[in-house]
Amino acid sequence: MKIKFNPQTILLFLLFICSFSTYGQYNIFHYSPNEREDFKKRSLYVALGDKDAAASKPYIDMIKNSWTNSEVQFINYDDIEKHTAEHALFLWIDITTSTSSTNPTAGAGQSKGLTWSNTYYFLTLWQPVTGKKGKFEVDPITRISIFTDYASIQNPSLTFNSDYSKEGHIRNWSVGILKNYIQTILMIMDGKAFKLKDYRDKPELDKLKTETLYIPDYTFINFDKWTGDETKRFEVTDLMKDYEFQYKVVTSEELSQKILNEQNPIYYFLYVKNSTTKYISVINSQTGKIVYAYGDMEGNYNIKPSDLKDLSKAIKK
């Protein structure tokens, strides 16, 4: 599936036939061994709003150290087209909006019934391909769902016009978390990370019987899906009442520092929500490996006590 994209605007397209595999928070579009070997040899361009901004530097330094396949360079969004003729890969944050209706096959003069749209943010690794009119098009390789605040859903410029820190508009975003995402992308390119949905790594989960599970504090936001209000919070003790092991609630920055600086791996809880689905995972901070994954497509956007209860049961087994 090839997608035309302008990073300053929202994509609008209908998803009728999807030629990719979905693994929880990840979509993998190209997964043959030959493709992966080719991708591993290509240079990587990382696109940022302002590569020279002070807030971009820790991200740039981390990516330089973490991307081990090939040369990596950093460019601004406005400079992407200067490099699309090269046999390279690109990494950026993009937005997709899908439109649906209760009568999608309506003909001319017929009502489509109730129509609605869903907006999704992704961290996307892609390659440029030549489109029908000779202009480059975006061909996704792997993309990762990212969780923004409601304000960014309504006004994407809040994300694209900010520096790489995203000024708090993306929940599952920090230097440490992005490092783990880079590690997972590299594992996918090595063919090692395909069990990412409803997945349990029992040997790793056993360690949580005695080790602390770190939970970022944004997890406890009580989102009102009717109004978009995000000001209320769940009580930590109410949500965690059925989790039987040690845990600690930390800020995203505290979690990032632990990911980057702890000599031994820690395990952290990662909650990601988009317009239609809630994803829950537990991550090994040292390797970026997902050791527990669950996706809920029933419209249950917020974390529930049963989500932690299910995780607790998986640890106990």
Side-chain angles (χ1 to χ4, degrees):
M1 181 173 66
K2 300 175 179 62
I3 304 171
K4 295 180 179 179
F5 183 78
N6 181 333
Q8 299 298 330
T9 61
I10 298 178
L11 285 170
L12 180 62
F13 67 97
L14 300 178
L15 293 175
F16 292 111
I17 300 175
C18 296
S19 57
F20 61 90
S21 296
T22 299
Y23 299 92
Q25 189 191 346
Y26 295 77
N27 299 140
I28 302 171
F29 296 81
H30 293 274
Y31 38 82
S32 74
N34 288 342
E35 287 176 313
R36 293 198 307 265
E37 286 304 310
D38 176 47
F39 296 149
K40 287 161 65 174
K41 298 173 185 176
R42 301 193 200 181
S43 297
L44 175 70
Y45 286 99
V46 180
L48 304 90
D50 181 358
K51 66 182 178 64
D52 297 318
S56 299
K57 187 177 187 306
Y59 290 89
I60 288 173
D61 290 344
M62 178 278 297
I63 294 171
K64 285 180 179 177
N65 291 328
S66 300
W67 185 264
T68 56
N69 276 354
S70 58
E71 179 186 8
V72 58
Q73 298 185 53
F74 299 88
I75 57 176
N76 293 332
Y77 280 117
D78 293 341
D79 296 325
I80 287 173
E81 290 197 47
K82 297 177 182 178
H83 303 280
T84 53
E86 301 174 30
H87 193 60
L89 303 180
F90 294 79
L91 185 72
W92 67 13
I93 291 175
D94 67 5
I95 309 174
T96 296
T97 298
S98 66
T99 301
S100 305
S101 72
T102 54
N103 187 19
T105 59
Q110 292 180 304
S111 172
K112 288 186 175 293
L114 179 64
T115 301
W116 66 94
S117 63
N118 293 302
T119 300
Y120 307 87
Y121 278 77
F122 297 101
L123 176 67
T124 302
L125 179 72
W126 58 277
Q127 62 178 340
V129 296
T130 303
K132 294 180 180 179
K133 296 183 179 181
K135 295 184 178 181
F136 92 90
E137 295 182 0
V138 173
D139 183 18
I141 297 168
T142 298
R143 68 184 187 188
I144 303 170
S145 292
I146 52 180
F147 175 13
T148 67
D149 58 11
Y150 188 67
S152 294
I153 297 296
Q154 295 181 304
N155 182 9
S157 65
L158 291 175
T159 295
F160 283 112
N161 291 339
S162 63
D163 56 42
Y164 216 50
S165 70
K166 301 309 173 192
E167 298 178 354
H169 289 293
I170 300 178
R171 311 290 191 201
N172 57 320
W173 190 261
S174 67
V175 179
I177 290 175
L178 182 57
K179 176 185 177 180
N180 285 161
Y181 283 151
I182 294 292
Q183 289 173 308
T184 303
I185 288 172
L186 292 173
M187 284 190 280
I188 289 171
M189 293 176 75
D190 280 337
K192 297 177 181 177
F194 286 89
K195 293 181 179 180
L196 301 175
K197 184 178 180 182
D198 297 336
Y199 175 61
R200 315 286 186 269
D201 185 323
K202 185 55 182 166
E204 294 263 27
L205 286 176
D206 279 344
K207 297 176 183 178
L208 283 170
K209 292 177 180 177
T210 56
E211 296 190 18
T212 299
L213 176 68
Y214 291 90
I215 305 176
D217 56 5
Y218 76 79
T219 302
F220 301 93
I221 293 171
N222 184 354
F223 172 69
D224 187 326
K225 64 181 178 181
W226 303 112
T227 67
D229 180 68
E230 297 177 304
T231 60
K232 298 181 177 64
R233 297 291 185 271
F234 291 110
E235 289 292 336
V236 173
T237 52
D238 288 343
L239 279 185
M240 302 300 298
K241 62 184 180 181
D242 294 316
Y243 183 76
E244 301 179 41
F245 305 97
Q246 298 176 65
Y247 69 88
K248 184 176 182 180
V249 179
V250 293
T251 66
S252 294
E253 179 57 27
E254 288 171 336
L255 177 60
S256 182
Q257 291 303 313
K258 285 188 171 294
I259 294 170
L260 296 171
N261 299 322
E262 291 285 340
Q263 291 187 345
N264 296 317
I266 65 164
Y267 294 88
Y268 65 93
F269 185 92
L270 194 63
Y271 157 50
V272 175
K273 172 180 70 66
N274 59 33
S275 291
T276 56
T277 307
K278 171 179 69 180
Y279 302 113
I280 295 169
S281 54
V282 176
I283 312 295
N284 179 317
S285 66
Q286 198 166 76
T287 63
K289 182 180 179 183
I290 296 171
V291 304
Y292 176 91
Y294 169 72
D296 183 342
M297 301 183 69
E298 302 300 321
N300 299 310
Y301 297 111
N302 292 317
I303 293 294
K304 302 182 298 181
S306 59
D307 295 323
L308 279 303
K309 185 176 183 178
D310 290 343
L311 173 57
S312 191
K313 286 180 179 179
I315 296 169
K316 287 176 66 175
K317 285 183 178 179

